[in-house]
Amino acid sequence: MARTKEFDPDAALQAALELFWQRGYEATSMADLVEHLGIGRASIYATFGNKHELYLKAMDRYTEGHDPVLVTELAQPGPALPAVRAVVRRFADEAASPESRLNGCLVTNTAAELGPHDPAAARRVEISWERLETPLLSALVRAQAQGELPEDRDPRALARMLLVLLQGVRIVGKVSSDPARVRDGAEQALALLD
């Protein structure tokens, strides 16, 4: 007869996500996970697989919670460029805030730490970036159709530029103690939409 789990797998996954987000993949050991999650190593392996599989599940949890908000923000009816500007400014504000600086963005952190040599992690990063780029592109196409964005602008290239900017904002914001650096960069990029 199978034993009943004596822990909440959902809560354990959330705790793992928070630890990986705070420390990164390489700096988080299985011993750290055992201690932080408050469950045995065998239970972690039986429920989530190895450390790498747990990390990937944590990434999936992270993107499931963050990506839908962006789509909702950018798909609102009415003028599209104010929504795009609001998203860019929100990213800059989050990146410059003392609370966000310590952890940064799990996707951006993963891109820098694991992306070059971990195909499964890189695939998840790419999916997250597509989930960011696609609603930006849709909003910019809508802005152009509504006359908010000049006809000579390429919405796809602008969406990609904003994606790169937003990822850079997260990296710079994580390290820089000068919030103006992130905010000024974001405002200069937004000027390209005029």
Side-chain angles (χ1 to χ4, degrees), residues 36-107:
H36 190 74
L37 276 60
I39 58 178
R41 183 181 298 256
S43 294
I44 292 173
Y45 285 119
T47 304
F48 303 109
N50 62 29
K51 176 181 142 179
H52 187 256
E53 291 169 316
L54 176 55
Y55 187 83
L56 296 176
K57 288 174 178 140
M59 276 194 73
D60 292 342
R61 162 70 64 90
Y62 178 86
T63 57
E64 288 166 8
H66 286 77
D67 294 340
V69 174
L70 181 75
V71 173
T72 302
E73 287 178 292
L74 292 171
Q76 297 296 316
L81 278 186
V84 171
R85 285 187 174 93
V87 164
V88 170
R89 288 179 178 130
R90 179 175 57 79
F91 270 65
D93 288 343
E94 287 173 2
S97 77
E99 304 83 42
S100 296
R101 278 190 60 222
L102 296 177
N103 292 342
C105 166
L106 183 63
V107 172

Side-chain angles (χ1 to χ4, degrees), residues 183-193:
R183 291 187 180 116
D184 289 349
E187 290 302 321
Q188 287 304 302
L190 288 176
L192 297 172
L193 301 178

Side-chain angles (χ1 to χ4, degrees), residues 115-139:
H117 60 274
D118 184 332
R123 190 169 38 261
R124 281 168 171 78
V125 168
E126 281 289 335
I127 289 168
S128 180
W129 286 348
E130 287 171 17
R131 288 179 181 166
L132 176 56
E133 183 181 323
T134 299
L136 285 168
L137 174 59
S138 295

Side-chain angles (χ1 to χ4, degrees), residues 8 13 30 44 57 94 107-108 116 118 128 132 134 140 154-155 163 166 171 175:
D8 178 357
L13 180 58
M30 278 304 289
I44 292 173
K57 288 174 178 140
E94 287 173 2
V107 172
T108 307
D118 184 332
S128 180
L132 176 56
T134 299
L140 291 168
D154 179 351
L163 168 69
L166 295 176
I171 292 287
V175 176

Side-chain angles (χ1 to χ4, degrees), residues 170-191:
R170 288 174 161 169
I171 292 287
V172 172
K174 186 172 178 174
V175 176
S176 179
S177 61
D178 181 3
R181 179 175 283 141
V182 168
R183 291 187 180 116
D184 289 349
E187 290 302 321
Q188 287 304 302
L190 288 176

